[in-house]
Amino acid sequence: MNKILLFTGLLLCVLSTSCIPHKDTIYLQQKDMVTDSSQVMVRQPKPYRVQVNDILNIRIKVLDQENAVIFNPVGEVNLNATSSERAYFDGFTVDLHGNIRIPSLGKINVLGYTVEDIEMMLKEKLLKEQFKETANIFITVKLSGLRYTANGEVGRPGTVTLFQDRVNIFEAIANVGEIPVTGNKKEVQIIRQYPQGQQIHTVDLTNVKVMNSPYYYIQPNDIIYVKPLPQKSIGTGQTAVQTLGTIATVVSLITTTLLLFTRL
């Protein structure tokens, strides 16, 4: 009888530690908070500042558009090229020194500037060197897509380019196939590029407070890494039923082995 109780207790302990808790699979839980949607306010992201390896899409329009053709490159890539490939060949890549090269204007340093800053900078330079006020210059500067990489416990690891100005962490993950049950939603790492190098930030996607995090919105060249839960390394089931089945299989194997040895 004591052996049965001991085995039952051991079985319950294994079940409680090897299964993935339901609370670890749910996004945006209101932890230590009164349930009130008005308490959750999404922090507006700060204007993005251009980094090395960013690709800028620059378009310049004037009254006599023929005079601006040289500033608006048109790529000669294959017609079957993807949007991101066209953006790469038609855009202006920020080099290791933070410069872009524009026909007639030469090198312009854009590192650390917002797209609005770059628009004003180019307008002033063009009015000073190329056009007059009567040309009615109109300049648009945009990032050629928001490119990021997702690795680890996601449906489809890889690099994705989204043609949006703002993308939050949930949208980014949804575009790579969601985090499976075996992924650690509490410790999602974001590797972000800064002028001085890269830094690793950790966010808890199960906590609604992530919406107020400065890393809620991803940035170009971010790397998102989702760790596996310990249960995946152990090899037990994701649910109590699966774990019980695994234990039953192991117990059956041990029992069969013991019976064979006792008959020898």
Side-chain angles (χ1 to χ4, degrees), residues 133-176:
E133 288 283 354
T134 53
N136 288 338
I137 297 177
F138 181 77
I139 301 174
T140 58
V141 178
K142 291 184 177 181
L143 290 169
S144 295
L146 200 158
R147 183 175 180 271
Y148 68 95
T149 300
N151 289 321
E153 290 293 295
V154 293
R156 298 183 301 275
T159 300
V160 178
T161 300
L162 299 178
F163 296 97
Q164 298 174 221
D165 291 332
R166 295 192 308 173
V167 177
N168 64 47
I169 184 69
F170 292 103
E171 292 173 314
I173 289 173
N175 277 277
V176 292

Side-chain angles (χ1 to χ4, degrees), residues 76-144:
E76 298 178 355
V77 300
N78 191 297
L79 293 177
N80 295 323
T82 63
S83 298
S84 56
E85 289 172 338
R86 290 178 179 275
Y88 174 79
F89 287 104
D90 289 348
F92 296 88
T93 302
V94 182
D95 65 23
L96 294 176
H97 303 287
N99 299 319
I100 56 174
R101 294 179 62 188
I102 297 181
S104 296
L105 298 182
K107 291 184 178 180
I108 299 177
N109 190 277
V110 296
L111 185 64
Y113 290 96
T114 66
V115 291
E116 290 80 8
D117 293 336
I118 298 170
E119 287 175 355
M120 293 301 299
M121 187 191 311
L122 291 176
K123 184 174 182 180
E124 291 175 3
K125 197 170 183 64
L126 286 170
L127 287 175
K128 183 179 179 180
E129 301 180 13
Q130 300 290 331
F131 299 101
K132 297 180 180 179
E133 288 283 354
T134 53
N136 288 338
I137 297 177
F138 181 77
I139 301 174
T140 58
V141 178
K142 291 184 177 181
L143 290 169
S144 295

Side-chain angles (χ1 to χ4, degrees), residues 37-56:
S37 60
S38 65
Q39 293 183 3
V40 182
M41 298 293 291
V42 178
R43 175 183 295 185
Q44 291 300 314
K46 294 181 180 179
Y48 176 70
R49 297 188 176 276
V50 171
Q51 303 287 341
V52 171
N53 294 327
D54 282 347
I55 300 176
L56 300 179

Side-chain angles (χ1 to χ4, degrees), residues 10 17 26-27 35 52 59 61 63 76 78 93 121 131 144 161 167 174 192 201-202 208 228 234 238 242 250 262 264:
L10 180 61
T17 56
I26 301 175
Y27 291 117
T35 304
V52 171
R59 289 294 178 264
K61 296 183 179 180
L63 284 179
E76 298 178 355
N78 191 297
T93 302
M121 187 191 311
F131 299 101
S144 295
T161 300
V167 177
R192 180 159 294 177
H201 309 286
T202 302
V208 71
I234 296 171
Q238 299 175 11
Q242 292 177 350
V250 173
T262 55
L264 295 176

